[in-house]
Amino acid sequence: MSNSTRDLSERSLQLLKTLVERYISDGQPVGSRALSKDSELNLSPATIRNVMADLEDLGLIHSPHTSAGRVPTVSGYRLFVDSLLTVKPLDAKDITRLYQGLSERDDTSNVIGVASRLLAELTKMAGVVTLPRRELVCLRHIEFLPLSHKRVLVIFVTNEQEVHNKVIHTGKVFSAAELQQAGSYLNSIYCGRSLVAVREAVLKELQDDQERMNQAMLDAIKMAQLTFESGDEKDDYVLTGETNLMGFSELSDRDHLKKLFDAFSQKRDVIHLLDQSLKAEGVQIFIGEESGYQAFDHCSLVTSSYSVNDEVVGVLGIIGPTRMAYEKIIPFVDVTAKLLGAALNPKTTTP
Amino acid sequence: MSNSTRDLSERSLQLLKTLVERYISDGQPVGSRALSKDSELNLSPATIRNVMADLEDLGLIHSPHTSAGRVPTVSGYRLFVDSLLTVKPLDAKDITRLYQGLSERDDTSNVIGVASRLLAELTKMAGVVTLPRRELVCLRHIEFLPLSHKRVLVIFVTNEQEVHNKVIHTGKVFSAAELQQAGSYLNSIYCGRSLVAVREAVLKELQDDQERMNQAMLDAIKMAQLTFESGDEKDDYVLTGETNLMGFSELSDRDHLKKLFDAFSQKRDVIHLLDQSLKAEGVQIFIGEESGYQAFDHCSLVTSSYSVNDEVVGVLGIIGPTRMAYEKIIPFVDVTAKLLGAALNPKTTTP
DNA sequence: ATTAGCACTCCACCAAGACGAGTGCCAATC
DNA sequence: GATTGGCACTCGTCTTGGTGGAGTGCTAAT
C-alpha cells in the first residue's frame, strides 16, 4: 500500500486524526484555524496548512472547493480506522439494552430479528443480520404432506425451532400414509445431522447399489434428495431501520437513496457484501466506494461475523453514512456479534 | 354531501374534469388559457376564469399562489373519481402479464408475492396485497415437536401449502411420542375445518364436562387452545415497489418520505387502512388526507378486495402519489383482484 | 522549520430588477 | 344575463451584481 503510516510523520498522522474526528463530529469541512485549535500540538494555522497540503497530495483529504476546509477522502477514513482510531468504551445503557435483548432468549420471537432491531435502534442507522449458515444447522425433524398433482409439501425443522418448507415434485402420487412412513424413516436416520451432511449422505445412498433398500426407503431417499438439493434456499438477512438512513443529509440525494433502497430489496448485492465478512474474524469495514457497489457509494458498512461454538455462522452489522462515529460503532458491532453468538449457543442457554 | 354533482352545471363539471385530467397528465397547475384550449366547449379564457372561481369557492380546486393556475383539491379529486371519470380499458400487454403471472399457479412461489410484484411493476408505484384472512383458511395438518423447558413447537399447515409455526408453553413436559399422538388426534377431528371454527370447537370442549375424555385427549385439546387462541398471528401483507415512490416529485420531501416508509415498516396503519376495504366490494379509493393517516397525506390508495368462492378473503391495491392516472389504475386494480381471486380458487386450478 | 502577513478565490447570502404566467374585475358585446 | 376582451395587478422564478466571510497558497521574516 502506498499510504502506510510510515510515509507520514507522527505529527501529520496526529493532525489527520483530529481532522477526521472533527469532521465526523460536526460535518463541516475543517480549516486550518479550527484544526490548530483542536489539536494539542501548538502549531499556527500556517504550519497546519503546509501539513494539510501534504495530506492532500497523498490523497488522504480533499477540498470541496478552494476556500472551504478539508474533508477526509475514502483513503483518509481508511487510514484513520486502521491505525489512528482510539475506540471508545460502550455506553453503559447500550450494553444493558443489548444484554437484555439478547441474553435472555425470548420464546417465540427470533433472536436474529431482535439483534437487527437493536443494532438499528441504538446506532440510529440501519441494522442487518444474516440468518445462520445452513451448513451449521442441524436437521431436527422432517415431514411430508401430499398436495395435488404429484406435488409434496416438505416441512423440516432445524436447530431449536426454525421451520422451513418447500414444495417438491415427485415422479408419482404418494398416499399420506406412505409419506408419513418416509418421514419417520428419514427422521430415524438423519436427525441431528447438519443439512450439508444430510445432502451428502443422501447423494451417496443414491449412488451406492440400491439393492439392499426396499422401494419405500428408496422413495424416501429420493424425496430427501429433492428437498436438500443445492441452493434451494438462498441465504437471507434481516434488515431494519432503513428509514433511519433517510435522515442523513449526505444521503439526501433522491437518486442515491433510491439506489440504496433498491439494493436493499434486491438483496443480492447486500448478501454478496456481507458474505465477504463471513471469512474474516472480527470487525470488518467497508468505507464508501470500497464496497464496489455504486449503491453504497456514500455509505459505510461496519460488520462482524458471529460464531456459535467457535464456528462462524453468520454476519451482522450496521449500514450508515460514510461520516459516522467509527470509534463507537466498531466496538458496538463487535460486542453485539459476541452477544448474538452466545445467545445462539444452545449450551449456554439458561435453564 | 355539499359537493354533489347537482350543485354544478354540466359545463362546470366538464371543465373540472378536463382540469383534473390535464393536471394529472403534466403535473403543472393549469391556467384558464390552457383549459380553454383543452376543453371542447369553445369558451374564452375569461369565461373559464369565472367558472374556475366558482369551483374554487366550492373547494374543488385551489391556487398554490395568485399567479399560478389551479390544482385539484382532495374534494376535487373525489368528485372526479366518483362521477366524472371515464375509465380506460387496460393495456393489452398489461393484461397478458397479469394473466401469465397469476393464472398458471406457480409451484413453490407464492401467488400473493407475485400479485404484489405485478401491481408494482406495471403501475410503477407500490403494490400491496394482504394475506388471505384466517377465517377462510382451513386446517390441513397439525404437528407438535418438543422443545426444551416445557415448550412445544407447533407446526400447522393451512389450505394447500401454507406453513405456520408457533411456540407454546405447556404446563408439563411431554415426550415426543405423546406429542405425536396429540397431533394425530387433533388431525383426525379438526382437519378440514377453518381455524376460527377450530378455535370455537376447542373452547367448547374445554367448557363442556371433560369426564368423557381421557388425559391424552385433554392435553391435546389444551395445546390446540394455546395454538389457536386469539390474535396470535397478525394479519400481514406483502408490499413491493416501495422504492418506486421515491421517484415522484410530490413525495420528494424527505420528511414525508420518512413518515411513509416508517408506516410501511410499522405495518399497523397500513393494515388498518386496508382492513377498511375488506368490508366493501369492488374498488375503493383513499385520496390524500382522506385516509386519516398523516403518513399518507400526499398519497392515494386504490384498493380492491379479492374473493375466493364469493367470499372476500383479502385486499390488494396500489399506493402512489395523489396525482395518479386513476382512469387506468382503477380498472387495473379491479382486474388484478379478480385474477388473484381466481388463482387462489382451488376448484379452478388447471390440471 | 515555523510563522505572520497578504493577496486571492470561492461560496453563501441578499437585494434589485426583468419577465412571464395567470388572475380578478370592469365595461362592452351578443 | 351570459360571454368576452382588455387591463392592471400579483406573485414566483430567474438573472444580475454586490458584499462578507472563510480559507487557501505563497512569500518573506524569524
Side-chain angles (χ1 to χ4, degrees):
Chain A
M1 273 315 198
S2 60
N3 302 324
S4 107
T5 58
R6 307 281 166 207
D7 295 359
L8 287 161
S9 72
E10 191 58 38
R11 194 180 66 177
S12 309
L13 289 173
Q14 175 61 33
L15 283 174
L16 176 62
K17 182 181 173 196
T18 34
L19 186 146
V20 176
E21 283 170 350
R22 168 78 179 229
Y23 179 69
I24 284 177
S25 82
D26 65 349
Q28 299 299 319
V30 8
S32 52
R33 178 152 59 257
L35 202 48
S36 140
K37 289 190 178 163
D38 263 30
S39 77
E40 260 86 65
L41 350 141
N42 265 16
L43 292 176
S44 78
T47 316
I48 306 266
R49 280 203 285 280
N50 291 328
V51 178
M52 283 168 117
D54 295 348
L55 292 174
E56 182 147 33
D57 286 344
L58 288 170
L60 296 171
I61 57 180
H62 132 266
S63 234
H65 58 84
T66 94
S67 84
R70 304 303 218 290
V71 161
T73 61
V74 171
S75 334
Y77 275 122
R78 171 53 59 192
L79 182 54
F80 175 74
V81 299
D82 283 349
S83 339
L84 268 32
L85 176 139
T86 45
V87 295
K88 287 195 186 155
L90 282 192
D91 197 51
K93 79 176 190 313
D94 284 1
I95 297 186
T96 337
R97 291 277 284 116
L98 277 180
Y99 205 75
Q100 279 177 353
L102 291 178
S103 71
E104 30 193 84
R105 217 203 284 221
D106 201 344
D107 346 312
T108 159
S109 75
N110 65 338
V111 216
I112 305 297
V114 171
S116 177
R117 258 184 296 280
L118 282 171
L119 282 167
E121 186 184 324
L122 299 179
T123 65
K124 313 281 185 211
M125 300 191 264
V128 61
V129 185
T130 66
L131 301 186
R133 259 164 67 211
R134 292 190 84 207
E135 286 78 358
L136 271 294
V137 300
C138 292
L139 183 64
R140 205 169 121 54
H141 184 83
I142 188 166
E143 176 105 14
F144 300 96
L145 285 176
L147 299 175
S148 49
H149 315 112
K150 298 185 185 168
R151 293 177 310 148
V152 170
L153 173 64
V154 192
I155 303 172
F156 58 98
V157 184
T158 57
N159 291 348
E160 266 285 279
Q161 60 191 57
E162 285 175 59
V163 181
H164 311 251
N165 66 83
K166 186 183 180 184
V167 176
I168 59 175
H169 285 72
T170 51
K172 63 178 182 187
V173 176
F174 291 98
S175 73
E178 285 171 317
L179 290 175
Q180 190 161 354
Q181 199 196 342
S184 9
Y185 171 67
L186 292 175
N187 277 324
S188 68
I189 54 175
Y190 293 124
C191 250
R193 297 167 69 175
S194 86
L195 294 195
V196 174
V198 172
R199 191 168 83 220
E200 279 162 12
V202 163
L203 284 176
K204 193 147 175 298
E205 288 284 357
L206 285 175
Q207 279 162 7
D208 283 3
D209 69 325
Q210 304 169 354
E211 305 303 317
R212 61 189 172 72
M213 292 193 284
N214 61 32
Q215 188 57 40
M217 286 159 70
L218 193 57
D219 285 339
I221 295 283
K222 276 183 182 161
M223 282 190 279
Q225 197 264 321
L226 284 170
T227 306
F228 299 115
E229 68 190 350
S230 60
D232 59 331
E233 182 166 296
K234 287 199 200 83
D235 298 78
D236 205 354
Y237 59 79
V238 178
L239 175 69
T240 54
E242 308 97 301
T243 54
N244 287 341
L245 300 181
M246 298 205 268
F248 296 106
S249 53
E250 43 266 80
L251 305 176
S252 66
D253 185 38
R254 269 231 311 289
D255 247 29
H256 276 237
L257 212 53
K258 180 157 164 43
K259 282 209 186 95
L260 191 59
F261 276 68
D262 276 339
F264 288 160
S265 49
Q266 218 77 37
K267 293 204 166 190
R268 215 198 47 232
D269 294 353
V270 181
I271 286 175
H272 189 244
L273 211 46
L274 292 176
D275 262 359
Q276 297 182 31
S277 314
L278 204 59
K279 297 156 208 153
E281 283 254 326
V283 175
Q284 272 222 306
I285 303 175
F286 301 89
I287 299 167
E289 302 116 38
E290 283 182 354
S291 70
Y293 295 97
Q294 225 198 338
F296 297 103
D297 266 6
H298 294 252
C299 289
S300 284
L301 276 78
V302 178
T303 64
S304 169
S305 55
Y306 63 90
S307 313
V308 175
N309 289 334
D310 286 333
E311 274 216 88
V312 172
V313 294
V315 177
L316 105 202
I318 60 91
I319 302 172
T322 310
R323 177 189 148 236
M324 66 166 79
Y326 295 96
E327 72 277 9
K328 293 173 80 172
I329 297 295
I330 291 173
F332 180 78
V333 168
D334 192 40
V335 168
T336 311
K338 295 201 170 97
L339 283 177
L340 177 60
L344 286 173
N345 192 332
K347 292 185 186 155
T348 64
T349 311
T350 51
Chain B
M1 274 312 202
S2 61
N3 301 324
S4 109
T5 59
R6 305 283 165 204
D7 295 0
L8 288 162
S9 73
E10 192 58 40
R11 195 180 64 178
S12 308
L13 290 174
Q14 175 61 33
L15 283 174
L16 176 61
K17 182 182 173 194
T18 34
L19 185 145
V20 176
E21 283 170 351
R22 168 77 179 229
Y23 179 68
I24 285 176
S25 82
D26 66 350
Q28 297 300 319
V30 8
S32 52
R33 176 151 61 257
L35 201 49
S36 141
K37 288 191 177 162
D38 263 29
S39 78
E40 260 85 66
L41 347 142
N42 265 15
L43 292 176
S44 77
T47 317
I48 305 267
R49 281 203 285 279
N50 291 327
V51 178
M52 284 170 116
D54 295 349
L55 292 175
E56 183 146 33
D57 287 344
L58 288 169
L60 296 171
I61 57 180
H62 132 269
S63 236
H65 57 84
T66 91
S67 83
R70 304 303 218 291
V71 161
T73 61
V74 170
S75 332
Y77 274 122
R78 172 51 60 193
L79 182 54
F80 176 75
V81 299
D82 282 349
S83 337
L84 267 32
L85 176 139
T86 46
V87 295
K88 286 195 185 155
L90 282 193
D91 197 51
K93 81 175 188 313
D94 284 1
I95 298 185
T96 338
R97 291 277 284 116
L98 277 181
Y99 205 75
Q100 280 177 352
L102 290 179
S103 69
E104 30 194 80
R105 217 204 282 223
D106 201 344
D107 345 312
T108 160
S109 75
N110 66 337
V111 217
I112 305 296
V114 172
S116 178
R117 260 183 295 281
L118 282 171
L119 283 167
E121 187 184 325
L122 298 179
T123 65
K124 314 279 184 211
M125 300 191 266
V128 61
V129 185
T130 66
L131 301 187
R133 258 164 69 210
R134 293 190 82 208
E135 285 79 358
L136 271 293
V137 300
C138 292
L139 183 63
R140 206 169 118 56
H141 184 82
I142 189 167
E143 177 106 13
F144 300 96
L145 286 176
L147 299 175
S148 48
H149 315 110
K150 296 186 186 167
R151 293 177 310 147
V152 170
L153 173 63
V154 192
I155 303 172
F156 59 99
V157 184
T158 57
N159 291 348
E160 268 284 280
Q161 59 192 57
E162 285 174 60
V163 180
H164 311 251
N165 65 81
K166 187 183 178 183
V167 176
I168 59 174
H169 286 72
T170 52
K172 63 179 183 186
V173 176
F174 291 97
S175 72
E178 285 171 319
L179 290 175
Q180 190 161 353
Q181 199 194 343
S184 15
Y185 170 66
L186 292 174
N187 277 324
S188 67
I189 55 174
Y190 293 124
C191 250
R193 296 167 71 175
S194 86
L195 294 194
V196 174
V198 172
R199 192 167 81 219
E200 280 163 12
V202 163
L203 284 177
K204 194 148 173 301
E205 288 284 357
L206 285 175
Q207 280 162 6
D208 284 2
D209 70 325
Q210 303 168 355
E211 306 304 316
R212 59 187 173 72
M213 293 192 284
N214 62 32
Q215 187 58 40
M217 286 159 69
L218 194 56
D219 285 339
I221 295 281
K222 276 182 183 162
M223 281 190 279
Q225 197 263 320
L226 285 170
T227 307
F228 299 116
E229 68 190 350
S230 61
D232 59 331
E233 182 165 297
K234 288 202 200 82
D235 298 76
D236 206 354
Y237 59 79
V238 179
L239 175 69
T240 54
E242 308 96 299
T243 55
N244 287 341
L245 299 181
M246 297 205 271
F248 296 106
S249 54
E250 43 267 79
L251 305 175
S252 65
D253 184 38
R254 268 231 311 287
D255 246 29
H256 276 237
L257 211 55
K258 179 157 166 39
K259 283 211 184 92
L260 191 59
F261 276 67
D262 276 339
F264 287 161
S265 49
Q266 218 76 38
K267 292 207 167 187
R268 215 198 49 232
D269 294 353
V270 181
I271 286 176
H272 189 244
L273 212 46
L274 292 175
D275 262 0
Q276 298 182 31
S277 314
L278 205 60
K279 298 154 206 155
E281 284 255 325
V283 175
Q284 272 221 305
I285 304 175
F286 300 89
I287 300 166
E289 302 118 37
E290 284 182 353
S291 70
Y293 293 98
Q294 227 198 336
F296 297 103
D297 266 6
H298 294 251
C299 289
S300 284
L301 276 79
V302 178
T303 64
S304 168
S305 55
Y306 63 89
S307 313
V308 175
N309 290 334
D310 286 334
E311 273 214 89
V312 173
V313 294
V315 178
L316 104 204
I318 60 91
I319 302 171
T322 311
R323 177 190 147 234
M324 67 166 79
Y326 295 96
E327 71 277 8
K328 294 174 81 172
I329 296 296
I330 291 173
F332 179 79
V333 168
D334 193 40
V335 168
T336 311
K338 295 200 170 98
L339 283 177
L340 177 60
L344 286 174
N345 193 332
K347 292 185 185 155
T348 63
T349 310
T350 50

